[in-house]
Structure formats: structure tokens, C-alpha cells
């Protein structure tokens, strides 16, 4: 289906100023007396100018314009990639006629004390103060990734009158931190691995007493054998929240709230200005940036909005990517300077498709032209388009199975897999994915991981001839994954769709598995945009474990964390017969 929008055109705003004036460690007063520390960078010329604000809790001194001239931006495969240098390219913005203001949130660095994510009026007060300065013409936008992205959405909810548009990339937490961070209720260790990069202040002393309700949760957590297996996480428990409090409180209360969805809808309804959201497939590994960008896009209504979804390579740090900055100023030159850049004539959604390595556009997300296509699990590791017929001899009720022993005694991840035959033509998918399957276990709980891969190319035939009886070892590309804690399987039917199940994830909804009982599991698999080329195979793997890739339970890359898995040997049986039509649901996009 054709749309009326223009193709995307690269925008290259001209250099207007070659010099930059700087004011560092400027203190901005808040209404309660707290002061936020800021750097103000402005063009060396006659103002006033529109202003772009980067507001976040990461160390302002790491974001300094002079400091970041000391080294080139580091790609994600560099050992010197540091995730929190993400406020944007000051020199680029200033040279194009914008003031760039870096503000450190309260409770971090040189700013006053408090919780950086709980000060409801700081964004309003800070933007109002900036707009009143002689250098600002009263038009304010915002910039930055991750923490700087979610702060843009917080600022928009506060509705300061001078904030005219935002450009939040890699935001999160539309429906709250737990759901987007800990997909399917399986605990993500990202917050632990961010510890060495943290700018949070923490006093590490003799652990004190906890309030009674927390003390009960703490004692239960201390006795959890799954936590005990990860000594690095158990150590956080022993310190009672003095070190890495976000990880500590997640382990004490690994549940969502009943009203997470309603809170997300309400937050989004308070945003009354244009929003340009984005993230990339790199965020599949820690979930919440990838999930958050799409969740916010869904819930924000009634204002101009755009969404850009990029590829699997993480953005460089410091965040200076030229293409993204050009797109940002194409947005802000329109909304803050009144220049017709053509951006509002382009499609609202732009997404990068791996495999075919191309940009595509759409009028909405999910893509309206999506053909939701189930592929059914079959015997002999097969994945087929036809549903197994319960009224024919079309499948056996003998389940597939795997046994996983704990990672304290093995590094091997056991799994079952299902693959198509080599594809006769290209197949493109883009959007949300779900897997529905029936399984039994011999324990009261487990984690299910569902991984989607691209195998091939493969020119072989599978026959009875020697050497052709099994699928050969093939090049494989990891695409995406989903996960679900088996005891958190209960769905909220009203909030669920076939392609995006909504699990309640509350303490009250948690139901231990009856050993040996066959249960239905609906796993949300994070969206992906990819073309399986002709001659490749679509592959689905089901397992229950992922592992740290370094000693002492560390990760080689901070944003590819592992999850908290079972300290128990568990037998898993996957059923795929006429009564149990286990399948994965793929968002197929027409290639024409």
C-alpha cells in the first residue's frame, strides 16, 4: 500500500557560528531551594537563540564539550565505550545556532540532594529559568539518549510553556521500570552492571535496620536459592540497599503494580507537544529502551509524533552521531526556528531492516500492512506454515524435551529448536512478535527464553542420504528474544493482543507451576525488523538460561546483561500436537 508521504531526505543545516562561549557550573534555583548545576554553551554571536536542554543524572563533567574533544567517539565494539556520555554534540548544536544547556539532576554530581527521578517540578523550573535568560529566545527543545531521553518525557508531562518539542531517543518506563526492564518477570541484571559507571552517591557503612515490611521481603530474598547462586547479587542483599539500591529493591519486590498500564496512559496524556521518539535493535538485550520507545509512541495521542527504529549496532559514545544530529535539527529547525524543513511531510515511522539493509517507512506502528503469520512447531526440529490437524495423523503427541542443570555446574545452555526449510523467497518481518506454546516442567517454576534467529544461506537438501539427514551447521544471526517466568504466566486478556501479550506480573497473580501439568505460555518476543533472504531458514529456539560472559558474573559489554535464572535442575517438555498448536506469530511485511 502506497502512502502520500515523501521519502526521507537527509537534512544538513549550515554552520552559522564558528565560535562558542561557555559558562560552567551555573546554579539554577528550584522552588524548594535546591540548586541544579548546569553548563551553558552558546554561539559566539548576537542572540537570543533557541535552546536545547540535556537534563539527566549522569556526571556532567563527563559530558563537557572540551573534555569530549580529547577523544573520538567510540563505537560499541570499543573497550572505551562508556554508556552514560549521551547528552549530544554540543559543538554541532551551537555552531548551527542553538544554545546547549547541560543540567545535572538533583541528587547527582554537583547538584543539590534528592532523588533525581522524583522531583516533579525540577524540569518545569529549570526550563522556565532558562527561557528567562537573555541568551534564550523563549523556544526550548531537549536532547539526549536513555536517561536524558526519559527526562524529556518527564519534562513534557510537566508542561513548561517554553518547551515546544522534544526528541527523546532510547527512553523507557512508559509503563514503569519493572515491566520494560524485566521482560516477562525475569530479572534483568543491567542495573548491577551499570554500577561501575554510576554517579549516584551511596554511603557504604554497617547495614542498618529495615522497616518491618521491607525486612520480611529482605529475609525472603536472602533465602532465595536463585539469588544465592549469584554471589555478586547476594552481596547487594547483605548490604540492605546501601549499594545499588535499584537492583536491591528489584530483588526484594520482583513484581509489577496493578495500575502500571493506567499510569502509563495517564503520563502519555499529559504530553501536549510534538514528540520524535526512537531507539534501536541494540536495546533488545536490556529491553527497556526498545520497549519504551514503542510503548510511548503507542500511548502518546493527539500531538504530532514520529518514531525512528534503527539497527543492531549501539550508538557511539560520546553521542555525536552525525546522522542523528542532522535529523534532530531537521526537527528543531522546524519547531523552534520555524523553518520548513519538510520533516512533517515525511512518513511518521522510519525503521531499518537488517538482512536487506534498507530504510523503510510506515504510516503507523505496528505497520498497518502487517500480515500476522503463525509458524507452527513440528517434529524433527521443523517449523511449518500449516497448523497441525487434530483430526488427522498429522503429528505425534510425544513432546520435545530438554533438561537444564544450574550454571554453577555447567556452561552449556540446553534448548530445543524449530527451523523452516530454506525459504523460496525473501520474507521481511517488522514489529511485535509472540510465541504461544504448551509445556510442562518437573519443578514449580522456570524461565522460558524464546530466541529468533536467521540461519543460512543453505543450499542443501534434507534427505535420507548419508550427510543430508540433519540440518548442517550454518551461519546464524541472532535477531531477538523474549522471556517469561513460568509462574508469571497469567494474562490480562483485556490488555493483551495476539502479537503482544500483557502478563499481570503482580505478586497476587503469581502462580507456582504444578509439576507435570501442561500449561499454556504466551511469550512476548521483542519486535525486530529483518529480511530473511531466499535460501535462509527461520529458526526459533526455546531454552531457560542465559549466562554472564566473564568471570565473577560480569559481562564483557555493560548493556548485554544476563538474567537471574534457576539454581535447580529442571526437565522441560514442549508440546506441539493437534491439541497443543504451539507456534510463533511473525509480523510479515509485504516486500512489494
Amino acid at each position: 500500500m502506497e502512502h502520500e508521504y515523501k521519502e526521507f531526505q537527509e537534512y544538513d543545516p549550515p554552520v552559522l557560528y564558528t565560535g562558542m562561549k561557555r559558562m560552567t557550573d551555573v546554579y539554577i534555583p528550584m522552588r524548594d531551594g535546591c540548586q541544579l548545576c548546569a553548563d551553558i554553551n552558546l554561539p559566539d554571536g548576537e542572540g537570543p537563540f533557541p535552546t536545547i536542554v540535556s537534563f539527566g543524572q549522569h556526571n556532567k563533567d563527563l559530558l563537557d564539550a572540551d573534555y569530549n574533544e580529547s577523544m573520538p567517539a567510540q563505537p560499541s565494539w570499543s573497550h572505551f565505550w562508556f554508556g552514560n556520555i549521551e547528552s549530544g554534540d554540543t559543538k554541532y548544536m551551537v555552531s548551527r545556532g542553538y544554545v546547549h544547556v547541560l543540567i545535572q539532576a538533583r541528587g547527582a554530581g554537583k547538584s543539590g540532594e534528592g532523588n533525581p527521578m522524583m522531583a516533579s517540578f525540577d524540569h518545569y523550573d529549570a526550563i522556565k529559568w532558562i527561557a528567562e535568560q537573555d541568551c534564550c529566545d523563549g523556544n526550548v527543545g531537549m536532547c539526549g539518549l536513555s536517561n536524558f531521553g526519559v527526562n524529556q518525557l518527564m519534562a513534557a508531562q510537566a508542561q513548561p510553556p517554553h518547551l515546544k518539542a522534544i526528541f527523546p531517543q532510547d527512553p523507557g518506563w512508559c509503563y514503569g521500570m519493572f515491566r520494560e526492564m524485566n521482560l516477562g518477570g525475569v530479572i534483568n541484571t543491567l542495573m548491577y552492571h551499570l554500577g561501575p559507571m554510576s554517579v549516584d552517591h551511596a554511603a557504604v557503612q554497617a547495614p542498618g535496620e529495615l522497616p518491618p515490611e521491607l525486612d520480611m521481603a529482605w529475609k525472603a530474598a536472602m533465602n532465595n536459592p536463585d539469588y544465592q547462586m549469584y554471589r555478586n547479587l547476594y552481596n547487594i542483599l547483605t548490604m540492605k540497599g546501601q549499594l545499588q539500591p535499584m537492583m536491591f529493591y528489584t530483588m526484594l519486590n520482583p513484581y509489577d503494580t496493578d495500575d502500571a498500564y493506567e499510569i502509563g496512559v495517564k503520563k502519555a496524556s499529559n504530553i501536549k507537544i510534538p514528540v520524535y521518539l526512537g531507539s534501536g535493535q541494540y536495546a533488545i538485550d536490556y529491553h527497556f529502551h526498545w520497549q519504551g520507545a514503542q510503548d510511548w509512541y503507542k500511548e502518546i495521542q493527539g500531538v504530532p509524533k514520529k518514531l525512528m527504529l534503527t539497527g543492531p549496532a549501539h550508538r557511539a559514545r560520546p553521542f555525536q552521531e552525525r546522522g542523528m544530529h542532522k535529523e534532530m535539527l531537521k526537527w528543531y529547525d522546524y519547531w523552534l526556528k520555524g523553518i520548513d524543513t519538510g520533516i512533517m511531510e515525511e512518513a511518521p515511522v522510519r525503521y531499518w531492516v537488517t538482512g536487506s539493509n534498507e530504510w523503510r517507512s510506515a504510516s503507523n506502528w505496528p505497520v498497518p500492512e502487517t500480515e500476522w503469520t503463525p509458524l507452527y512447531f513440528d517434529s524433527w526440529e521443523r517449523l511449518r506454515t500449516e497448523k497441525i490437524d487434530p483430526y488427522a495423523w498429522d503429528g505425534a503427541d510425544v513432546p520435545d524435551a530438554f533438561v537444564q542443570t544450574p550454571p554453577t555446574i555447567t556452561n552449556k545452555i540446553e534448548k530445543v529448536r524449530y527451523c523452516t526449510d530454506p525459504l523460496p523467497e525473501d520474507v521481511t518481518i517488522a514489529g511485535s512478535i509472540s510465541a504461544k506454546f504448551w509445556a510442562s516442567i518437573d519443578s514449580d517454576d522456570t524461565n522460558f527464553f524464546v530466541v529468533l534467529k536467521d540461519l543460512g544461506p543453505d543450499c542443501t537438501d534434507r534427505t535420507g542420504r548419508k550427510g543430508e539427514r540433519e540440518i548442517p551447521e550454518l551461519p546464524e544471526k541472532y535477531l531477538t528474544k523474549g522471556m517469561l517466568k513460568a509462574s508469571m504466566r497469567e494474562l490480562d486478556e483485556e490488555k493483551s493482543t495476539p502479537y503482544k501479550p500483557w502478563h499481570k506480573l503482580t505478586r497476587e497473580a503469581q502462580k507456582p507451576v504444578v509439576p507435570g501439568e501442561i500449561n499454556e505460555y504466551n511469550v512476548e518476543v521483542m519486535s525486530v525488523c529483518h529480511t530473511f533472504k531466499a535460501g535462509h531458514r527461520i529458526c526459533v529456539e526455546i531454552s531457560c538460561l542465559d549466562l554472564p560472559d566473564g568471570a565473577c558474573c560480569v559481562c564483557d559489554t555493560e548493556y548485554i546483561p544476563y538474567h537471574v535464572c534457576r539454581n535447580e535442575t529442571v526437565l522441560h517438555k514442549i508440546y506441539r500436537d493437534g491439541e497443543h498448536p504451539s507456534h510463533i506469530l511473525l509480523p510479515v511485511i509485504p516486500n512489494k
Side-chain angles (χ1 to χ4, degrees):
M1 173 177 151
E2 298 294 327
H3 59 64
E4 60 188 12
Y5 303 104
K6 291 181 181 178
E7 292 298 319
F8 288 90
Q9 299 293 327
E10 185 177 89
Y11 182 70
D12 194 7
V15 173
L16 303 175
Y17 301 92
T18 57
M20 181 168 63
K21 296 181 288 187
R22 307 195 62 217
M23 295 179 283
T24 59
D25 291 349
V26 177
Y27 282 88
I28 302 176
M30 300 293 101
R31 67 186 68 177
D32 63 350
C34 180
Q35 295 193 82
L36 306 186
C37 192
D39 290 348
I40 301 175
N41 308 276
L42 57 157
D44 189 6
E46 293 297 324
F49 306 97
T51 299
I52 297 175
V53 174
S54 297
F55 190 112
Q57 67 194 70
H58 298 318
N59 189 347
K60 180 176 68 64
D61 292 342
L62 289 179
L63 313 172
D64 181 81
D66 292 338
Y67 171 72
N68 282 316
E69 287 188 344
S70 67
M71 62 184 291
Q74 300 295 294
S76 60
W77 50 90
S78 165
H79 293 289
F80 290 90
W81 186 95
F82 290 95
N84 54 4
I85 311 178
E86 52 195 11
S87 61
D89 189 334
T90 296
K91 187 174 182 180
Y92 182 85
M93 288 180 267
V94 170
S95 66
R96 272 66 178 180
Y98 289 87
V99 177
H100 185 212
V101 181
L102 292 163
I103 304 176
Q104 187 138 37
R106 69 167 64 206
K110 299 174 183 176
S111 292
E113 294 183 357
N115 187 326
M117 300 302 288
M118 297 298 289
S120 59
F121 49 77
D122 283 3
H123 302 90
Y124 187 102
D125 290 0
I127 290 172
K128 179 176 182 294
W129 183 91
I130 290 164
E132 293 170 348
Q133 305 310 299
D134 292 340
C135 61
C136 181
D137 68 1
N139 295 295
V140 178
M142 299 184 77
C143 171
L145 311 176
S146 187
N147 184 263
F148 293 92
V150 75
N151 270 282
Q152 294 182 52
L153 292 156
M154 293 169 68
Q157 293 169 58
Q159 300 180 12
H162 298 285
L163 185 61
K164 302 300 174 61
I166 55 174
F167 193 82
Q169 302 298 299
D170 287 342
W173 306 348
C174 176
Y175 302 129
M177 185 184 81
F178 183 81
R179 176 172 297 273
E180 289 173 358
M181 177 77 74
N182 306 288
L183 193 67
V186 183
I187 295 179
N188 188 320
T189 59
L190 177 69
M191 286 302 169
Y192 166 77
H193 294 288
L194 291 180
M197 306 302 299
S198 178
V199 296
D200 294 340
H201 295 279
V204 181
Q205 302 170 5
E209 296 297 321
L210 294 170
E213 64 278 7
L214 278 181
D215 189 63
M216 288 181 62
W218 174 75
K219 289 175 180 176
M222 289 284 286
N223 289 315
N224 185 327
D226 298 343
Y227 294 163
Q228 292 172 349
M229 178 170 61
Y230 298 91
R231 293 175 187 252
N232 53 328
L233 304 180
Y234 188 76
N235 185 52
I236 294 172
L237 287 174
T238 67
M239 302 179 80
K240 294 187 176 180
Q242 293 185 97
L243 185 68
Q244 299 202 352
M246 293 185 74
M247 195 72 221
F248 173 77
Y249 288 110
T250 297
M251 289 192 289
L252 258 60
N253 187 39
Y255 302 101
D256 203 2
T257 60
D258 283 324
D259 56 356
Y261 181 82
E262 288 73 20
I263 290 174
V265 172
K266 183 178 180 180
K267 289 191 300 184
S269 70
N270 289 328
I271 295 176
K272 308 295 185 183
I273 58 174
V275 181
Y276 195 139
L277 291 149
S279 187
Q281 291 175 167
Y282 49 81
I284 284 168
D285 291 296
Y286 53 89
H287 323 325
F288 73 99
H289 287 348
W290 188 238
Q291 296 287 89
Q294 295 166 89
D295 292 342
W296 281 109
Y297 184 81
K298 172 181 177 289
E299 298 300 347
I300 293 173
Q301 302 291 331
V303 298
K305 62 179 182 177
K306 294 178 78 70
L307 176 67
M308 178 163 53
L309 301 172
T310 63
H314 214 301
R315 304 199 184 288
R317 296 293 192 275
F319 168 48
Q320 298 169 353
E321 183 185 346
R322 193 58 55 241
M324 182 63 73
H325 280 74
K326 288 179 178 180
E327 185 73 3
M328 180 178 70
L329 291 198
K330 188 178 184 180
W331 179 250
Y332 282 140
D333 278 0
Y334 181 84
W335 290 110
L336 303 187
K337 290 186 176 182
I339 300 171
D340 186 4
T341 63
I343 194 165
M344 297 312 295
E345 299 172 22
E346 297 173 348
V349 177
R350 183 185 190 190
Y351 60 97
W352 178 257
V353 182
T354 57
S356 55
N357 297 325
E358 61 180 344
W359 284 106
R360 291 197 182 192
S361 59
S363 60
N364 206 351
W365 190 261
V367 178
E369 295 80 16
T370 301
E371 298 171 356
W372 299 103
T373 304
L375 296 179
Y376 294 91
F377 303 170
D378 198 2
S379 60
W380 292 97
E381 297 189 337
R382 291 174 294 181
L383 197 59
R384 58 188 263 183
T385 55
E386 300 84 13
K387 187 175 180 179
I388 294 176
D389 188 342
Y391 302 106
W393 296 110
D394 188 28
D397 58 3
V398 179
D400 299 314
F402 66 96
V403 176
Q404 183 64 62
T405 50
T408 52
I409 58 174
T410 184
N411 286 326
K412 185 177 181 181
I413 297 178
E414 305 291 349
K415 60 192 175 185
V416 295
R417 74 171 185 173
Y418 304 94
C419 303
T420 65
D421 289 334
L423 298 171
E425 59 185 14
D426 292 358
V427 174
T428 296
I429 62 172
S432 299
I433 301 166
S434 68
K436 177 189 284 190
F437 58 88
W438 282 260
S440 67
I441 58 176
D442 64 350
S443 176
D444 63 354
D445 210 352
T446 191
N447 299 324
F448 284 111
F449 290 83
V450 178
V451 175
L452 182 66
K453 291 182 176 180
D454 181 333
L455 302 188
D458 182 12
C459 62
T460 62
D461 294 312
R462 198 174 184 189
T463 76
R465 289 186 292 270
K466 187 174 182 180
E468 294 183 352
R469 295 172 182 170
E470 303 298 334
I471 298 174
E473 292 294 325
L474 296 170
E476 63 177 43
K477 178 178 176 58
Y478 165 90
L479 297 177
T480 186
K481 68 180 175 183
M483 59 207 69
L484 177 65
K485 193 172 183 65
S487 61
M488 295 289 202
R489 63 193 177 278
E490 184 176 352
L491 288 175
D492 186 318
E493 299 290 350
E494 292 184 1
K495 298 181 177 69
S496 295
T497 64
Y499 55 85
K500 192 175 177 66
W502 180 281
H503 298 93
K504 294 183 179 181
L505 303 185
T506 62
R507 186 184 295 273
E508 294 73 23
Q510 187 170 28
K511 295 180 179 178
V513 177
V514 177
E517 183 176 83
I518 300 175
N519 290 298
E520 177 183 318
Y521 296 95
N522 295 269
V523 180
E524 179 183 3
V525 181
M526 286 173 284
S527 62
V528 75
C529 310
H530 180 73
T531 296
F532 298 89
K533 303 298 286 185
H536 288 232
R537 297 174 185 263
I538 300 171
C539 177
V540 179
E541 295 179 348
I542 300 178
S543 61
C544 68
L545 174 67
D546 61 8
L547 293 169
D549 51 23
C552 300
C553 290
V554 300
C555 290
D556 285 347
T557 304
E558 69 180 49
Y559 58 86
I560 307 180
Y562 53 88
H563 296 78
V564 175
C565 296
R566 295 304 309 276
N567 187 9
E568 183 181 6
T569 297
V570 181
L571 167 65
H572 305 74
K573 294 181 179 180
I574 308 298
Y575 294 81
R576 30 133 199 88
D577 52 64
E579 294 184 10
H580 307 103
S582 298
H583 64 274
I584 189 166
L585 186 65
L586 296 180
V588 176
I589 308 298
N591 278 316
K592 60 186 176 181

